[in-house]
Amino acid sequence: MSESKPVDQFFDAAMGLLQRVRDEEAGSIAAAGDLIAGTVQDGGRIFAFGAGHSSLPAQDVVYRAGGLALMNLLTVPGAVGVDVLPATLGSALEGVDGLASVVLECSPVRAGDLLFIISLSGRNALPVEMAQKARALGLKVVGVTSVAYAEGTTSRHSSGTFLKDHCDLVLDSKIAIGDAELTLDGVGAPFAPASTIVTSALMQAAVAAAAAELASRGIEPPMLRSGNVDGGHEWNGRVMDEYRDRIFYRR
């Protein structure tokens, strides 16, 4: 039998990671759903932040079909995605002390809100400081990170701590240090990262758990429908009007 091809190996690795987080993080995912549901019930607002490619799972839960209308993207100019030139500027901004505090102070967050902070390594100054500052402001913080980095790398924050050390709840993506699932003769560096797949799945699973928890409490979850199905825009308009004081991406 011939050896499996890299494409097959990548899918196998990604599916293995998804199964692992499903099994090992089930309790934490349920707890994240409870935090979301409680925040919605109590009139709080929900935000998600990630820098660089860690912003992709944050963006994936904001203003999307089948998603929770109250998920808002917390942006740090220059650090969300790879939309700046040079792209390395975004990575450099993750090491700037004080940036997270300024962003939070200028944002609409307030005590009682919920903030998801997504950082694969959790070692840079920006996510660590954001978690510290958010909790000082009275927010609940869910960190979505790979705990392996805290066990196998050094922190880049002055405190020597990682994102996971400043959270009310941690969702561990189980991604190995380096975020590359494959190696191959003739390819000098490991390749085929799976962190976006796994982290996005964790975020969507938390939202799914929240929707079910809200329904169990007798509260209709404020979900969005696809604008590409009949009646979708009208449905979304009603939801956004009802919760307009907690939705910030339409202003």
Side-chain angles (χ1 to χ4, degrees):
M1 182 179 293
S2 61
E3 293 183 2
S4 61
K5 296 179 179 179
V7 170
D8 298 320
Q9 293 171 358
F10 174 71
F11 278 111
D12 287 342
M15 288 187 288
L17 284 163
L18 288 169
Q19 186 65 57
R20 187 179 173 196
V21 297
R22 177 183 180 178
D23 294 341
E24 299 178 15
E25 295 299 298
S28 295
I29 293 169
D34 288 346
L35 282 173
I36 295 172
T39 303
V40 173
Q41 185 173 21
D42 294 341
R45 292 86 60 82
I46 308 168
F47 299 86
F49 165 77
H53 287 94
S54 289
S55 73
L56 298 176
Q59 295 180 55
D60 191 48
V61 293
V62 176
Y63 185 52
R64 71 161 303 149
L68 187 67
L70 304 190
M71 298 294 297
N72 298 281
L73 186 67
L74 182 66
T75 60
V76 175
V80 178
V82 289
D83 59 343
V84 293
L85 291 175
T88 51
L89 173 61
S91 297
L93 289 173
E94 292 187 61
V96 176
D97 290 333
L99 180 58
S101 294
V102 171
V103 168
L104 286 171
E105 289 167 0
C106 295
S107 76
V109 303
R110 65 188 183 193
D113 289 346
L114 177 62
L115 173 61
F116 283 80
I117 301 177
I118 303 169
S119 173
L120 178 60
S121 73
R123 68 190 299 218
N124 291 308
L126 184 57
V128 174
E129 181 188 324
M130 183 166 288
Q132 290 177 319
K133 179 67 173 181
R135 294 182 85 189
L137 292 172
L139 280 75
K140 294 288 187 182
V141 174
V142 177
V144 189
T145 187
S146 171
V147 173
Y149 277 84
E151 298 171 346
T153 67
T154 56
S155 171
R156 291 174 174 162
H157 187 259
S158 58
S159 67
T161 60
F162 287 76
L163 169 61
K164 74 174 186 65
D165 300 316
H166 305 282
C167 299
D168 297 280
L169 178 68
V170 172
L171 299 179
D172 183 5
S173 65
K174 316 294 183 181
I175 300 295
I177 296 172
D179 189 19
E181 297 301 319
L182 304 183
T183 59
L184 186 67
D185 290 342
V187 181
F191 61 102
S195 61
T196 303
I197 295 170
V198 177
T199 307
S200 291
L202 279 169
M203 292 296 294
Q204 293 294 350
V207 172
E213 177 61 24
L214 282 165
S216 74
R217 300 182 186 188
I219 300 170
E220 182 177 354
M223 313 303 292
L224 295 174
R225 291 187 175 184
S226 172
N228 294 313
V229 299
D230 291 343
H233 289 301
E234 291 76 14
W235 172 280
N236 293 340
R238 288 193 297 271
V239 171
M240 290 183 183
D241 284 343
E242 181 177 352
Y243 291 93
R244 59 184 175 273
D245 60 329
R246 291 191 265 172
I247 295 173
F248 301 96
Y249 50 79
R250 65 179 300 189
R251 297 182 179 181

